[in-house]
C-alpha cells in the first residue's frame, strides 16, 4: 500500500464506470468532482458514477466535492481589447464602455495596497493599480500588454475584495453535493478562517457534518495561513491561482510551510495543480514534474491531486501509474524510523501522548501494524500525524468516517460492526485483521482507541495484542 494518497479529478476523459473502477484497482483513493463545470444533471451523474464502483474492501470510493467559489472574470466585454504598454485602463464591475474592462458584478474594492497589481488570463496580462476611483472601479496602467477577451480570469493581488464566500451557484452545488454523498467539501478562494464558519453553519443547517477543506490560492489566505489551518479540517495547496496571486518563486516555500504547519496541527494537506501537467498531451512526464511529485512526498503531503491530467488528458491511466511508481520509489527511500524520532511535535494532551506512545511501542518492539479504533476518525488522524514506520489500520463502525480517512497519509480504513464496550474491541480488531489478510497467526499489533466508547477525542488506551 502506498502511504501518500491519490485524488483524481473526474472529467470527459474518465467518465465511465470501467475507467473509474480501473483507477480504484490501481490505487486511486478519492475522486474530485469539479463543480465549476456542467449542469446539475451532469454533476449528479458524476457522483452516481463514483458510487457505482467498489474498493477492495467492498465500500465505494471517497468523493471530494470542489465548489467553484467566487472566481472573478472579465464579464460582459462585447469585443476584445488590445492593450498597449503603459496604456491606462479602468477595471470596473459597475460600468461598461470605452477604456473599461468589465469584471464580475457583486464585488467591491475595499483596500488597495501600494504596488497592487491586476493579473488577467493567469498572469499573461499585468496591470498596475494607479488609484481607486470608486468602490467598483480601479484606474490602472498596463505593465505587460496583451489581448483582453471575455470570460478570462482576473486576479487582484494586493487588493482587498468584498465578495461572498459562497456564490448562488455554490449554494446550489453544496446542497447537491451533500445530498449526493460528498465525503469532503473543498472551498475555493478561501481568504480567512471566517469563511469556514459561514460554510459550516450552512452545512449544519442542511443536516450534515461533512468536513471542509480550505483551498489556499489567494494572497489573503497566505497571510492568514495559521488561522486557516487551525480552523478547517484540511487544507489544499492549489498552486494554479496561488502562482498568479503571488510571485511564482515564492510558491515552493509556501507549499513547504503549509505542509509543515498542517502536520504540526494534525490536519491533512493536499498538493494540487500541474503535478504532471505535460501528461495532458504526452504519455510520459518531464523529469521536473517527477521531482516535484517526489519532493511533495518527501515533505510529507497527505495526498496528491491531479486535475486536467485525468479530467481532460489523453492518458489518464498512465498518469495514475506514474504517480504510483513515483510514490512507491520515493517512500521506499524514506527512513521512517528516524523520521518519526526527529519529528518535532508538541504533545499537549492525553490523546496526543497516547498516539505518540503507540507509534513508539510499535517501533521499539518491531511491530509493523498499528490499529486505531475510532468513531470520529480523530484517533487515526493523530497517529498518522507522527508518520510512523508501521502501517496504520483504522477501524470504525461508520462508512462515512472510513471514507473520510482514505485521503489521510498511511491510513487503510475498514468498516466494522458496532461495539458497545471496550471489552469487545480486541476480538473485533482480530477478526478484521484475520479476515482481511492483514495479519496471520502469531503476529502482533499495537492497538489504541478511546474509552468510553463513542466519545470523540478520548484516545486514552494502548494495548499490544497477538493473533492467536
Amino acid at each position: 500500500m502506498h502511504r501518500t494518497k491519490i485524488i483524481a479529478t473526474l472529467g470527459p476523459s474518465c467518465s465511465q464506470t470501467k475507467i473509474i473502477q480501473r483507477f480504484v484497482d490501481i490505487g486511486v483513493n478519492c475522486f474530485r468532482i469539479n463543480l465549476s463545470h456542467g449542469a446539475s444533471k451532469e454533476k449528479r451523474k458524476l457522483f452516481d458514477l463514483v458510487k457505482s464502483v467498489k474498493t477492495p474492501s467492498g465500500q465505494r470510493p471517497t468523493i471530494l466535492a470542489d465548489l467553484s467559489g467566487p472566481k472573478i472574470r472579465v464579464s460582459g466585454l462585447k469585443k476584445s481589447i488590445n492593450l498597449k504598454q503603459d496604456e491606462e485602463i479602468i477595471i470596473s464591475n459597475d460600468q461598461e464602455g470605452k477604456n473599461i474592462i468589465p469584471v464580475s458584478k457583486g464585488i467591491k474594492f475595499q483596500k488597495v495596497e501600494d504596488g497592487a497589481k491586476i493579473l488577467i488570463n493567469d498572469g499573461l496580462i499585468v496591470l498596475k493599480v494607479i488609484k481607486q476611483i470608486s468602490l467598483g472601479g480601479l484606474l490602472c496602467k498596463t505593465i505587460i500588454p496583451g489581448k483582453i477577451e471575455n470570460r478570462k480570469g482576473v486576479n487582484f493581488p494586493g487588493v482587498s475584495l468584498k465578495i461572498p464566500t459562497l456564490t448562488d451557484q455554490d449554494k446550489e452545488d453544496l446542497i447537491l453535493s451533500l445530498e449526493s454523498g460528498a465525503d469532503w467539501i473543498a472551498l475555493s478562494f478561501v481568504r480567512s478562517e471566517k469563511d469556514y464558519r459561514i460554510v459550516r453553519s450552512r452545512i449544519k443547517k442542511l443536516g450534515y457534518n461533512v468536513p471542509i477543506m480550505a483551498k489556499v490560492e489567494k494572497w489573503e489566505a497566505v497571510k492568514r495561513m495559521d488561522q486557516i489551518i487551525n480552523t478547517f479540517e484540511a487544507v489544499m495547496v492549489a498552486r494554479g491561482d496561488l502562482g498568479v496571486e503571488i510571485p511564482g518563486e515564492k510558491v515552493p516555500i509556501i507549499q513547504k510551510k503549509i505542509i509543515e504547519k498542517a502536520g504540526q496541527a494534525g490536519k491533512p494537506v493536499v498538493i494540487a495543480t500541474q503535478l504532471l501537467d505535460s501528461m495532458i498531451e504526452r504519455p510520459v512526464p518531464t523529469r521536473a514534474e517527477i521531482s516535484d511529485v517526489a519532493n511533495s512526498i518527501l515533505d510529507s503531503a497527505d495526498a496528491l491531486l491531479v486535475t486536467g491530467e485525468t479530467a481532460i488528458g489523453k492518458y489518464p491511466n498512465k498518469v495514475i501509474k506514474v504517480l504510483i511508481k513515483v510514490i512507491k520509489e520515493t517512500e521506499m527511500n524514506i527512513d521512517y524510523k528516524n523520521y518519526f524520532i526527529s519529528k518535532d511535535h508538541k504533545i499537549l494532551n492525553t490523546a496526543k501522548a497516547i498516539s505518540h506512545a503507540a507509534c513508539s511501542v510499535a517501533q521499539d518492539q518491531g511491530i509493523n501494524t498499528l490499529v486505531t479504533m475510532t468513531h470520529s476518525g480523530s484517533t487515526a488522524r493523530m497517529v498518522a500525524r507522527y508518520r510512523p514506520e508501521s502501517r496504520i489500520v483504522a477501524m470504525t463502525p461508520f462508512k462515512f468516517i472510513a471514507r473520510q480517512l482514505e485521503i489521510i497519509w498511511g491510513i487503510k480504513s475498514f468498516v466494522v460492526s458496532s461495539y458497545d464496550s471496550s471489552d469487545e474491541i480486541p476480538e473485533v480488531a482480530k477478526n478484521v485483521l484475520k479476515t482481511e489478510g492483514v495479519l496471520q497467526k502469531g503476529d502482533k499489533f499495537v492497538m489504541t482507541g478511546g474509552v468510553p466508547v463513542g466519545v470523540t477525542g478520548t484516545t486514552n488506551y494502548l494495548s499490544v495484542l497477538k493473533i492467536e
Side-chain angles (χ1 to χ4, degrees):
M1 188 188 81
H2 51 94
R3 298 171 189 242
T4 307
K5 303 302 182 71
I6 297 174
I7 304 173
T9 300
L10 295 183
S13 294
C14 55
S15 293
Q16 298 175 26
T17 303
K18 185 169 74 172
I19 297 175
I20 296 173
Q21 184 65 62
R22 176 65 177 151
F23 277 7
V24 171
D25 293 341
I26 61 179
V28 171
N29 304 96
C30 173
F31 291 93
R32 169 182 174 253
I33 295 177
N34 183 3
L35 297 164
S36 299
H37 307 295
S40 294
K41 185 177 179 180
E42 295 167 327
K43 295 170 184 176
R44 286 188 188 276
K45 184 181 177 182
L46 291 176
F47 281 96
D48 292 340
L49 275 171
V50 178
K51 291 187 286 187
S52 71
V53 304
K54 298 292 182 185
T55 66
S57 60
Q59 306 300 319
R60 61 110 165 143
T62 304
I63 299 174
L64 169 66
D66 193 344
L67 300 175
S68 59
K71 177 75 173 177
I72 303 172
R73 299 182 182 278
V74 177
S75 179
L77 188 65
K78 292 181 173 56
K79 67 176 186 176
S80 59
I81 300 173
N82 284 302
L83 283 181
K84 297 176 182 176
Q85 183 77 35
D86 296 328
E87 183 178 352
E88 292 191 357
I89 192 91
I90 292 173
I91 292 276
S92 176
N93 70 355
D94 55 15
Q95 296 181 62
E96 293 182 17
K98 191 177 180 182
N99 292 330
I100 292 177
I101 301 172
V103 295
S104 305
K105 298 187 182 301
I107 63 169
K108 292 181 180 178
F109 306 117
Q110 291 185 300
K111 181 183 177 184
V112 180
E113 298 188 357
D114 290 340
K117 291 182 173 63
I118 295 173
L119 295 91
I120 302 173
N121 194 13
D122 288 336
L124 295 178
I125 299 167
V126 180
L127 314 175
K128 181 179 180 181
V129 179
I130 299 173
K131 65 178 180 177
Q132 182 171 355
I133 56 177
S134 70
L135 281 175
L138 300 172
L139 177 63
C140 308
K141 184 171 76 171
T142 306
I143 304 298
I144 299 178
K147 188 177 183 180
I148 306 289
E149 296 178 304
N150 204 38
R151 301 302 300 161
K152 294 299 182 182
V154 186
N155 295 82
F156 294 83
V159 180
S160 296
L161 305 173
K162 186 178 181 181
I163 50 176
T165 299
L166 294 172
T167 65
D168 290 341
Q169 185 63 57
D170 290 332
K171 292 172 185 177
E172 291 179 19
D173 288 338
L174 182 60
I175 294 171
L176 184 152
S177 300
L178 296 171
E179 290 178 347
S180 301
D183 301 296
W184 284 88
I185 298 293
L187 182 61
S188 298
F189 304 112
V190 169
R191 286 165 292 156
S192 79
E193 65 280 8
K194 294 177 183 177
D195 294 329
Y196 175 86
R197 293 191 281 272
I198 291 169
V199 181
R200 171 57 61 213
S201 174
R202 184 167 288 270
I203 290 174
K204 189 176 180 180
K205 284 179 181 176
L206 292 168
Y208 296 88
N209 189 30
V210 176
I212 309 168
M213 181 183 296
K215 293 174 68 176
V216 178
E217 51 193 335
K218 297 287 288 180
W219 66 277
E220 298 102 318
V222 174
K223 288 190 171 184
R224 304 290 295 175
M225 187 191 306
D226 291 340
Q227 294 86 345
I228 287 170
I229 289 171
N230 290 328
T231 305
F232 283 80
E233 280 84 17
V235 289
M236 181 195 299
V237 185
R239 305 182 302 182
D241 273 283
L242 183 60
V244 178
E245 288 271 322
I246 64 173
E249 64 273 14
K250 293 182 180 290
V251 173
I253 302 303
I254 288 171
Q255 175 176 312
K256 285 178 179 290
K257 285 182 179 179
I258 291 174
I259 294 174
E260 182 182 1
K261 288 175 180 290
Q264 290 172 351
K267 303 291 181 74
V269 58
V270 177
I271 304 302
T273 320
Q274 296 179 331
L275 291 174
L276 298 172
D277 198 53
S278 68
M279 290 191 74
I280 293 176
E281 296 291 338
R282 300 170 67 242
V284 293
T286 66
R287 283 140 183 92
E289 288 170 336
I290 291 173
S291 294
D292 177 42
V293 171
N295 278 315
S296 296
I297 297 163
L298 291 168
D299 287 341
S300 207
D302 285 82
L304 304 172
L305 166 60
V306 282
T307 52
E309 299 96 323
T310 52
I312 58 171
K314 294 179 180 178
Y315 308 97
N317 272 331
K318 289 184 177 180
V319 166
I320 302 303
K321 288 179 179 178
V322 166
L323 280 179
I324 294 287
K325 285 181 181 179
V326 177
I327 290 171
K328 287 185 175 180
E329 183 67 28
T330 306
E331 290 181 347
M332 280 173 55
N333 288 280
I334 296 175
D335 183 355
Y336 284 108
K337 187 177 292 185
N338 287 324
Y339 183 87
F340 164 69
I341 292 170
S342 67
K343 290 298 280 183
D344 180 24
H345 287 300
K346 294 179 181 178
I347 300 173
L348 303 174
N349 56 37
T350 301
K352 289 179 181 177
I354 292 289
S355 299
H356 187 273
C359 298
S360 295
V361 170
Q363 180 167 292
D364 293 344
Q365 295 198 15
I367 299 172
N368 66 6
T369 301
L370 211 163
V371 176
T372 70
M373 308 299 292
T374 182
H375 274 61
S376 67
S378 63
T379 304
R381 289 194 299 270
M382 272 190 283
V383 170
R385 77 194 287 264
Y386 294 111
R387 300 300 193 254
E389 185 176 25
S390 305
R391 59 186 166 188
I392 306 168
V393 177
M395 298 187 188
T396 177
F398 306 113
K399 292 179 181 179
F400 68 94
I401 294 296
R403 291 194 300 267
Q404 289 171 11
L405 291 172
E406 278 297 307
I407 71 163
I408 296 172
W409 183 96
I411 294 177
K412 176 61 183 171
S413 55
F414 292 101
V415 179
V416 299
S417 54
S418 297
Y419 50 91
D420 299 318
S421 73
S422 58
D423 295 337
E424 301 173 50
I425 291 175
E427 287 309 311
V428 170
K430 289 177 183 179
N431 288 337
V432 172
L433 293 171
K434 287 189 289 186
T435 303
E436 297 293 339
V438 178
L439 294 180
Q440 298 177 340
K441 184 178 178 180
D443 290 338
K444 288 183 177 181
F445 64 96
V446 175
M447 186 169 69
T448 183
V451 177
V453 169
V455 180
T456 301
T458 58
T459 305
N460 57 10
Y461 77 80
L462 169 64
S463 301
V464 177
L465 301 172
K466 187 176 183 180
I467 302 293
E468 303 298 337

